[in-house]
Amino acid sequence: MAIVFPTPRRLGWRLNPVGLVAACVIAFWAVIAVIGPWITPHPPGEIVDYDFFGPLSAQFPMGTDYLGRDMLSRVFSGARYSVGISLAAVMIACTAGIVLGMSAAVIGGMTDTIISRLLDAISSIPSKLFGLVVVAAIGSSIPVLIAVLAVVYTPGSYRFARALAVNVATMDYVTVARARGEATIYLIRAEILPNILGPVLADMGLRFVFVVLLLSGLSFLGLGVQPPNADWGSLVRENMGGLSFGAPAVIMPSVAIATLTISVNLLIDNLPTRIRDRSE
Amino acid sequence: MNLAEIRDLHLGAVTDSGRKVEIIKGVSLDIAPGEIVALIGESGSGKTTIALSLMGHVRQGCHFESGSVTVDGTDMVTANETARARMRGTTVAYVPQSAAAGFNPAKKLMDQVVEVAKIHSLMPLDQARAKAVDIFRALALPDPENIGDRYPHQVSGGQLQRLAAAMALIGDPKLVIFDEPTTALDVTTQIEVLRAFKSVMKNGGMAGVYVSHDLAVVAQIADRIIVLKGGEIQEQGSATQILEAAGHPYTRSLLSAFKPDARVARAQDVDQLGGIVLAADQITAGYGPVDRHGRPHKIALHQVSCNLERGRNLGVIGESGSGKSTLARCMAGLLPPVSGTVSLGGNDLAPQVQRRSKEELRRLQIVFQLADTALNPAQSIGDSIGRPLRFYHCMKGGAYDARIAELLDMVRLPGAMRHRLPGELSGGQKQRVNLARALAANPEVILCDEITSALDTVVAAAVIDLLKELQRDLNLSYVFISHDLSTVEAICDDVMVMHHGRVVETLPAAGLHQAARDPYSKLLFASVPKLDIGWLDRLTQDPDFTAAMAAR
Amino acid sequence: MNSKVLSLIAGRIGVALVTLLIVSFLVFAATEMLPGDVAQVLLGQAATPEAVAGLREAMHLDQPAIMRFLGWLGGMAHGDLGHSYTNRMAVSELIGTRLGNTMKLAAITAAVAVPVALSLGILTAIWRGSLFDRAVSTLVVGVISIPEFMVATLAVLIFAVWLGWLPALSFGGSTDSIWDILRAYAMPVITLTFVVSAQMIRMTRAAVIETMKAPYVEMALLKGASRSRMVLRHALPNAIGPIVNAMALSLSYLLGGVIIVETIFSYPGVAKLMVDAVATRDLPLIQGCAMIFCLGYLFLITIADVVAILSNPRLRH
């Protein structure tokens, strides 16, 4: 007798090969972000080669940077900043956005109008500009970066969650619960949240991509993670001098960003339709 | 020689989860020239899919597997897209279920009606326009010369449906497909549309395929009826044959469900009469922004009053926009009225649900029309039913489990179903769960808002029987809101007719037709289709009815 | 055009003005968050207390923040954006000399990106699922998923380093001939076009596909209309509103892109001015530049909304 395992396939959670590869790449960078500093072949801050902007070689698989430091080590240790800061920011942004969005949808009326108007105003400031202004005013540190990124992406998450929640809030089961006399908090927790969770999580993934891009953009402008630490955007910035002769040190950190962001996009595109469908 | 022949047609579809299913399982049928054939069946029976296959069209996600569909000598399955396009509009034409969605909102009606002539270069445009006006006139559309200059959102639903028919008829097709063309219409509008369709089809000598779930409607217009279920033909025969001598048990169940047993007055009713349990007094309510006098922009109810006696049922009947659902929302406290009061057992209730006590809320429960949206898809059946137990009665543990099992049993569902999710249940089962959830509160009154309207006839009849049984066992009173006269007659003691937010009159359910005094209620009652082939013709020859229609 | 449409549009413009007010407050508040005494920071630790006090007064720092906000707002209304901390020049003058350059860059990019993106967006929607669609869509996802500076570095690597067609990073070299100017603009415009077009293609494609799903398009099919007729006569006229809306929204991505592009290519525009101002903490200049960008952004978003209102046939007739 064959033993039947509840594999993802049996549960209808089929992930096609593209999605699988994407998931593996994401998992790889997640692991590197955690254990990166312990597995770097060289200390990331140490000058290991006389040749700056060195080419790809067996010893330095990603070449060396403008001071002759090992790029592989620097990219691996940069993963912690790029992934960590972005993840923290997206968590805060989406939690705030979803809670506010559901509250606005359930309560409605003036509460809805005020929250919507305020967040609309925040999203009327171009994201990079917002980062620029805040960092110019109070300087750059990791908590400030997380806060800026979270504030920039809260309105988008809010709008998405609110649109979904408004649709759910008109459903008869929510009306039945209202007529039963349920409190707002119960409506949000038990009736709305479970029914928007799938699309909201998918949206969170997309927003994570935007956060990674904005963080690396700010770092590239010198407003993100400050030396001696470096995320992937800062690595591109400090090695820009090598661009005119095509040094790998300029390209490798960009490639790292691209593998992560493209994988997240591909994973979400290839999610089972029943999660994604409702998000469209 | 038949105009259209379908031979052993198989159609497949791919579901969301990627599974392949067969939706049409070997259907064969013939349509003779000038013959009107009805495809009848419940949702999911494949009736629309078969009708569309006559145009060589399949919806997204479906595909032809085998078999042939020959129309006027051309096999629509094997023909290429150009050949199919040449047939569409000229040989086979289509009238959609929702004309409102079928018309392009950005273009004038006339341009869309004559488009078929333009696409196939049938005639000069001026001639096509003149022909369109003739068809408008034949379809009894108001102001036929100028109605074509309007945009789709500027005409009513019934008019739009007739304009959609005009759009189909302009190319003189040999076969017209009507896809549930009157389902979305009110009964009094349905009559006009049906009458118009019937006269143009008869005069034009065209063949037709009429897709519907409503046997009474089909009986008026079809020569032959084909009964479908689950993608297979159950029975076919002439309209008279099917209505009077149905052979197949499924057809017979459709017929018997059409006319549920009328409520028999019961002896114990008299004992249970315990005064008025729910009353609405002079309720005015509406939607939209409120003006200086506290009156909302759009008034939906004008000083509506009604009484529900304990152990009896009040039916509220009316067409869309009559305010019947608004009345239920006011009673449940979901929409606070501008003026007037709702009282339960003699005590006035607060207008807003938030200000009513838990006990008051418990005694009055509401059940909604769409079983699909009335259950939280993320909650198991047990949790849905159990929530009122926890909320009103603070039940837990063994008593809680036992009560859920008892409630499921009450609505004739297996106890194991408590672990299922709503998505795994059929429409009828979901509606039973809805009822069980309302019963969990131990209510005195249940407001039923169109609870059988979205169900297939057979299933709806079973739900009605269940309601009657529950009433007998639990001493309930129902307010039963519906647009469907036969269900209201089947369960209610009194019937209140509403129109444009006002009460027209309240009548005893037994002998509605004889008791009706108001012209509108007479018209409404007369407009409900009957399982009788000559009904429409007799009705339209009735001078009283024609006068009432004109006065509407 | 009727009064309902006009009142809707007026309402939308009113919302835009209110938003602008909130935005200016946010920009002002953000720059006010600077910890410590601005005058002290500006003059350095060696400054005498008298000098610091003098500067504080000159900068009105002794007034409450709300008064300074109102004063700043009032000044802005008259085109007075204050004076730069670093070189005492009027901010409006500094911006004025650079604004033309940025507008030029944006205009050239729009002129290239809009026709390209529009046709690609519509064609991919019509041939949905074809090889062409999949190729373009993959490229679009790729461009959207990578940072703007990566697009720029790739452009430099391809066109300057490997092909050697264009100068790498030198902007402001000789501008004697038209050829030189073209070469100078090519790299920033290519980069920006990629960034903006990707957004525009994606949104246009989505808008057209959404319209193609409408029942009246299926109805046209059942009337025997050809595929081109379904698209050109039925889908596209109804998709114009969403498409223009998508155009305006994706043009707003120009603003984000322009900051990176001007920095990389040392292009003498407002964005470069602002990034430099951040480096020197020149707050009045930052405020001025930020307001210019927000104004542009809000303008595009409002245009998008107004077009959406105008394109609704139920409101028009």
Side-chain angles (χ1 to χ4, degrees), chain B residues 57 59 104 112 115 151, chain C residues 218 223 229 234 238 317:
Chain B
H57 181 59
R59 292 246 159 94
N104 185 334
Q112 302 191 55
E115 195 183 1
Y151 285 86
Chain C
E218 186 188 46
K223 283 199 259 180
R229 189 182 178 91
H234 290 277
N238 285 291
H317 304 293

Side-chain angles (χ1 to χ4, degrees), chain B residues 323-382:
Chain B
K324 55 191 192 303
S325 282
T326 307
L327 181 62
R329 293 176 64 84
C330 287
M331 286 172 167
L334 293 166
L335 179 77
V338 178
S339 60
T341 49
V342 178
S343 60
L344 184 65
N347 302 317
D348 283 0
L349 293 173
Q352 298 95 348
V353 70
Q354 295 89 342
R355 308 232 321 266
R356 295 185 182 176
S357 74
K358 234 178 206 187
E359 181 59 16
E360 287 167 341
L361 292 166
R362 180 191 67 74
R363 290 162 64 197
L364 177 67
Q365 292 289 308
I366 186 163
V367 181
F368 281 108
Q369 171 182 15
L370 295 170
D372 293 335
T373 62
L375 289 174
N376 185 340
Q379 262 178 8
S380 72
I381 300 306

Side-chain angles (χ1 to χ4, degrees), chain B residues 471-492:
Chain B
Q471 174 160 47
R472 202 160 46 231
D473 299 342
L474 302 171
N475 195 19
L476 293 164
S477 309
Y478 300 122
V479 174
F480 200 90
I481 290 162
S482 182
H483 69 277
D484 181 12
L485 191 64
S486 62
T487 42
V488 170
E489 271 182 306
I491 192 161
C492 295

Side-chain angles (χ1 to χ4, degrees), chain B residues 232-254:
Chain B
E232 285 170 305
I233 292 181
Q234 306 296 318
E235 182 171 15
Q236 53 178 316
S238 74
T240 331
Q241 229 175 334
I242 294 285
L243 292 187
E244 284 161 18
H248 198 281
Y250 179 68
T251 317
R252 282 209 294 271
S253 73
L254 276 181

Side-chain angles (χ1 to χ4, degrees), chain B residues 460-477:
Chain B
V463 169
I464 294 286
D465 287 340
L466 176 67
L467 284 172
K468 289 185 200 169
E469 245 179 74
L470 290 170
Q471 174 160 47
R472 202 160 46 231
D473 299 342
L474 302 171
N475 195 19
L476 293 164
S477 309

Side-chain angles (χ1 to χ4, degrees), chain B residues 254-317:
Chain B
L254 276 181
L255 287 166
S256 66
F258 187 81
K259 193 78 188 162
D261 306 328
R263 186 170 141 88
V264 196
R266 283 167 280 114
Q268 71 256 42
D269 275 0
V270 184
D271 315 330
Q272 284 172 356
L273 288 183
I276 289 165
V277 60
L278 180 72
D281 186 31
Q282 299 281 317
I283 288 193
T284 299
Y287 302 93
V290 181
D291 69 6
R292 278 179 298 133
H293 308 290
R295 292 171 67 83
H297 181 67
K298 188 177 176 302
I299 301 274
L301 289 179
H302 300 269
Q303 308 205 319
V304 170
S305 303
C306 61
N307 292 321
L308 174 66
E309 283 175 53
R310 197 174 293 277
R312 286 172 73 89
N313 300 329
L314 175 68
V316 180
I317 193 160

